[in-house]
Amino acid sequence: MATVKITALDTEHPSRLAQTRIRIQIPRQYQQDPIISQLATRYHLEINILAAILGANGKESGWFDLHLVGTEKNIQDALVYLGDLNINIISDLETDGW
């Protein structure tokens, strides 16, 4: 699993909210599974989908550029969940997009 930089939003209370931006590749076999929804509900994360690329007719993997906000522990746990599913995580993103 890639090393992901997580930034505290409240520097006086770093155990509170943190954020990170990742890009994930969801393989075709998970197309019918609510992977992103699970991140929000299981790990209590606020998720903003910044961009997405989906293959035509569901024949290819889907790529999602995500901004995650939650506690550092919840973000780390969510990243482990994605890793357990063998979902490719890219963390070194350029700010100007794809």
Side-chain angles (χ1 to χ4, degrees):
M1 181 172 65
T3 302
V4 176
K5 180 181 176 187
I6 300 173
T7 306
L9 292 177
D10 182 350
T11 55
E12 291 184 27
H13 303 95
S15 64
R16 293 195 180 160
L17 289 182
Q19 66 180 349
T20 193
R21 183 174 170 200
I22 60 172
R23 182 169 297 148
I24 61 173
Q25 177 187 13
I26 299 180
R28 184 175 170 217
Q29 72 255 31
Y30 293 124
Q31 285 181 350
Q32 299 303 314
D33 297 343
I35 303 295
I36 295 173
S37 176
Q38 290 295 326
L39 295 178
T41 56
R42 282 188 188 181
Y43 303 102
H44 311 287
L45 298 178
E46 178 183 310
I47 300 171
N48 187 13
I49 301 172
L50 303 173
I53 298 175
L54 305 173
N57 300 319
K59 294 182 180 180
E60 299 175 21
S61 298
W63 289 86
F64 296 87
D65 192 353
L66 305 176
H67 178 246
L68 309 177
V69 177
T71 65
E72 184 172 345
K73 180 184 182 331
N74 287 354
I75 292 172
Q76 289 290 354
D77 290 347
L79 295 173
V80 168
Y81 165 73
L82 293 172
D84 288 346
L85 295 174
N86 293 318
I87 290 176
N88 187 23
I89 302 170
I90 301 169
S91 64
D92 295 327
L93 302 179
E94 297 180 18
T95 57
D96 63 349
W98 304 83

